[in-house]
Amino acid sequence: MSRPNTLTKGKLLNDIHAVIERSGLSDGGCVSFHHHLRNGDGVMNLILTALGEAGLKGLHLEATSLFPVHAPLVALVEKGVIASIATSYMSGPLAHAISRGALKTPVRLRTHGGRARALDSGEQRIDVAFVAASAADCRGNLSARTGRAPFGVLGYPMADVGAAQHVVAVTDTIVPFPACPIDLSQDRVDMVLQVDRIGDPAGIGSGATRPAMDPQSVAIAGQAADVIAASGQLIPGFSFQTGAGGISIATAQAVGQAMTTHGVQGSFACGGISGFHVKMLEAGLFRSLMDVQCFDLEAVASRSRNSAHQSMSASAYAGPHVGGAVVDELSAVVLGAAQVDTDFNVNVTTRSDGLIIGGSGGHADAAQGAALTVVTTRLTAAGFAKVVPKVTTLTTPGSCVDVVVTGAGIAVNPANAALQDRLGAGGLPVVSIQDLAAKAAVQASQATPPRASGRVVAQSEHREGYVLDEIRMIE
Amino acid sequence: MSRPNTLTKGKLLNDIHAVIERSGLSDGGCVSFHHHLRNGDGVMNLILTALGEAGLKGLHLEATSLFPVHAPLVALVEKGVIASIATSYMSGPLAHAISRGALKTPVRLRTHGGRARALDSGEQRIDVAFVAASAADCRGNLSARTGRAPFGVLGYPMADVGAAQHVVAVTDTIVPFPACPIDLSQDRVDMVLQVDRIGDPAGIGSGATRPAMDPQSVAIAGQAADVIAASGQLIPGFSFQTGAGGISIATAQAVGQAMTTHGVQGSFACGGISGFHVKMLEAGLFRSLMDVQCFDLEAVASRSRNSAHQSMSASAYAGPHVGGAVVDELSAVVLGAAQVDTDFNVNVTTRSDGLIIGGSGGHADAAQGAALTVVTTRLTAAGFAKVVPKVTTLTTPGSCVDVVVTGAGIAVNPANAALQDRLGAGGLPVVSIQDLAAKAAVQASQATPPRASGRVVAQSEHREGYVLDEIRMIE
């Protein structure tokens, strides 16, 4: 017999004011969001605009990533609705505004694993975690695999849910109880806010998720695959991560070809997952995919139909605090770079002139975890050298990088002498990193600008939580 | 490039002494266990015996349930290795020893939901949670669906994992990384202890999971199904829980027949899940199963192959603290009783003489949550009346019970006048609970013994945490 219970008042709301009232969110509070809808996300703009209209000020925004679609947040920064930001990646107008001094408080740029560490450890508390869901039921069971804008997995907000005083699901699709399949259970969700539209699923796959076809990229990808083959890592049980850039995908194709040729069955591929990972799984090259976010709709569909396509939380993926994360089991990772320097340090956070264009995401986590960390880059881009004496911004320490592949030569970190020997013995064109920097300098038509000297607008944080580098205001 | 990291020392251990050393477990510490292997569990005896041999004393045992297979714990109680116990159910030699005064500290008998509440709220801390897993990988990803003794879901230990200082997986099957499918993620597990054998999977299905066939049980089941049909609850979206006893299963069959006849598609069945639930799912009678533990191997197999067969944690299933649990969405629950009294109070904890034979499990949780709570019982058993003026032990308050079905008449709780009218209008044999008690008294060949008067050996706890009743020592 059901009895009245003060705790069971309905979770289903359709008004942000009710969320504010129930959560007690007030000026200076911390709100968090995740980025599985990527550049198709409609939730962060909608909620933060509504919080601003409700009169809230001075909020701390704890976002997993920020994209060009979040341009409307610039106005909220200017109005003082948002007073500070921590994120793992930011690009587009908001990032540019930060670089030009829009915020007084420096933005904290964390790695995906470092962010999970900060939340799990209690270093960063959240007042209200907003969790986008493509479908939800009235009790707060959330699905990322059904509804109008399915995005596949809920890897990132798991840490937010654990750290938050209040968890608010945001959905445009209410389904009968129980939601199926459930990606986040009702006992972790306090309220369900129904909105017209959580975003545009077409925006999920907005990044480059096709292999690069130009000769230079194909050459770099081929060399990266050769490095992996020669490294001794390409053995049964091989595990692999790449980004979603064109060179990374071309590298994955070349590695897949090498696996087929050598009859190597791998164990898993991990990270953000795209259609090309799905093809490798379905071709039997890997036993499992470990997916923290889907990079395209092919990955979303695979997650729905294939139990070997597994989800994982940010902590499981990349946490430096969990006694061994999935990245720590990687045989090899192939990562991109905006700049690499002669100490093998990598910058994926700013342009040469210091303008914020990204951030670590999982870059520094995977680089530290993997047995073999391969960084691919051209020597120059837009006239600027990409292999330089000193990176403009330090994202990933050179001590985590084994080898830099440029298409114009391969440089091995001297700390990994065994790898240097293997690649040399394999006949690969190994040169010194200084040689690559010299070639890049010759090829560059523009000088690397001096470091900006304005006040600090952002801090690049090591995954363990200390500040690796500072990013300064650009005039 | 992998770098040495003090946090990534191996999780894989094969010696309980290493667990004690790493966890710092000491005299008076709290250890927890779950019961998904039911009467086939080999983990609790193995670990607690080893802890005793290692010289530990005065442990608090936080167990989800205790079965006859746990008889070896009696000796550990006598030796002082175990000083106190909290559990949701206990039967067999340990329960009998407790009833006879083996422990100085009263056992705390919690509901499944009340236990999750105590852990989630911080009321009960755990030093080391031991989590049986049928398979695990070296990083601590756990599976309940692969290995030598698969048991299907890990619903109960989820709260333990959240409340514990240290989480130790116990497995007899180490699989290559990553385990697949993963039922508990590596970031929640600190150590993996490899043992020879976690238990006997045949013991999972040791309870009665076949429909009762005797005429009296069939009559009770038929009347219970008639009550549900007449109650107005049997409409599209109908949801249902039953126990695993013979009458409950016979009732489920009768309800399934009524659903088919009336063309009602239900939403979900929940609780412990058996093969008969699986048949109802596969027949299209329900959209989903919400499974907190598998009661037999048919359920284990279904969980592996059917994504509509979903798992849930104890908090999601039955927590009174989560703003609405799965039990709060139930249309109807059919529950058994050792005794029912004329205030509709139910005892499933002790025999008439006060000997401990069970405990709430999810009984009181589902009774409070469901829109319609049906209690089935015979009038007498072993010569003792089962409908009595006052239950020997209060497990589930009468305010949560709508109707008692005995085969010799149906009594409706006067608090639910609308139900009384509906059942009467449906032509069902409605009588007063006093009439049933009078009939039971006539039919009984033995007088209900007076309440035991010894010291308190156990406390029956309300799901919200206060003491409902005390259980006293039997000479």
Side-chain angles (χ1 to χ4, degrees), chain B residues 37 59 123 209 282 317 372 375 394 413 432 473:
Chain B
L37 282 157
L59 297 174
E123 179 183 310
T209 56
E282 292 177 352
Y317 165 45
L372 175 70
V375 170
L394 175 55
N413 191 327
S432 75
M473 193 167 92

Side-chain angles (χ1 to χ4, degrees), chain A residues 1 139 329 367-368 373 400, chain B residues 1 139 287 329 367 373 400:
Chain A
M1 191 187 298
R139 294 291 189 180
E329 280 292 313
Q368 186 172 2
T373 299
C400 301
Chain B
M1 193 186 297
R139 295 291 189 180
R287 273 194 295 110
E329 281 292 312
T373 299
C400 300

Side-chain angles (χ1 to χ4, degrees), chain A residues 206-248:
Chain A
S206 56
T209 57
R210 302 281 160 232
M213 305 292 279
D214 64 285
Q216 198 182 355
S217 298
V218 170
I220 295 172
Q223 279 190 348
D226 291 344
V227 165
I228 291 170
S231 72
Q233 292 293 335
L234 200 65
I235 55 177
F238 175 71
S239 56
F240 190 45
Q241 177 176 331
T242 61
I247 291 180
S248 292

Side-chain angles (χ1 to χ4, degrees), chain A residues 1-5 7-9 11 120 138-139 141 176-182 185-190 237 267-268 287-288 290 304 307-313 315-316 320-330 366-373 397-402 413 415-416 462-464 466, chain B residues 1-5 7-9 11 120 138-139 141 176-182 185-190 237 267-268 287-288 290 304 307-313 315-316 320-330 366-373 397-402 413 415-416 462-464 466:
Chain A
M1 191 187 298
S2 300
R3 293 192 304 177
N5 181 331
L7 283 169
T8 58
K9 65 182 172 180
K11 289 182 178 177
D120 285 352
C138 60
R139 294 291 189 180
N141 289 303
F177 185 95
C180 183
I182 294 168
S185 172
Q186 64 187 70
D187 54 307
R188 316 300 302 274
V189 176
D190 302 301
S267 51
F268 70 94
R287 274 193 295 109
S288 180
M290 299 295 286
S304 283
S307 62
H309 184 152
Q310 306 197 86
S311 69
M312 60 181 171
S313 70
S315 299
H321 61 300
V322 299
V326 171
V327 292
D328 294 306
E329 280 292 313
L330 278 171
Q368 186 172 2
L372 175 70
T373 299
S399 59
C400 301
V401 175
D402 294 284
N413 191 327
N416 195 340
H462 188 274
R463 62 200 292 247
E464 296 285 4
Y466 55 88
Chain B
M1 193 186 297
S2 301
R3 295 192 303 177
N5 182 328
L7 282 170
T8 58
K9 66 180 174 182
K11 289 181 178 178
D120 286 351
C138 60
R139 295 291 189 180
N141 289 303
F177 185 95
C180 183
I182 294 168
S185 172
Q186 64 187 70
D187 55 306
R188 316 300 302 274
V189 176
D190 301 301
S267 52
F268 70 94
R287 273 194 295 110
S288 179
M290 299 295 286
S304 283
S307 62
H309 185 152
Q310 307 198 85
S311 70
M312 60 181 171
S313 70
S315 298
H321 61 302
V322 299
V326 171
V327 292
D328 295 306
E329 281 292 312
L330 278 170
Q368 186 171 2
L372 175 70
T373 299
S399 58
C400 300
V401 175
D402 294 283
N413 191 327
N416 194 340
H462 189 274
R463 62 199 295 246
E464 296 285 4
Y466 55 88

Side-chain angles (χ1 to χ4, degrees), chain A residues 344 410-412 420 430-437:
Chain A
F344 291 83
I410 296 166
V412 180
Q420 188 134 21
V430 176
V431 299
S432 76
I433 189 80
Q434 289 77 13
D435 284 348
L436 293 179

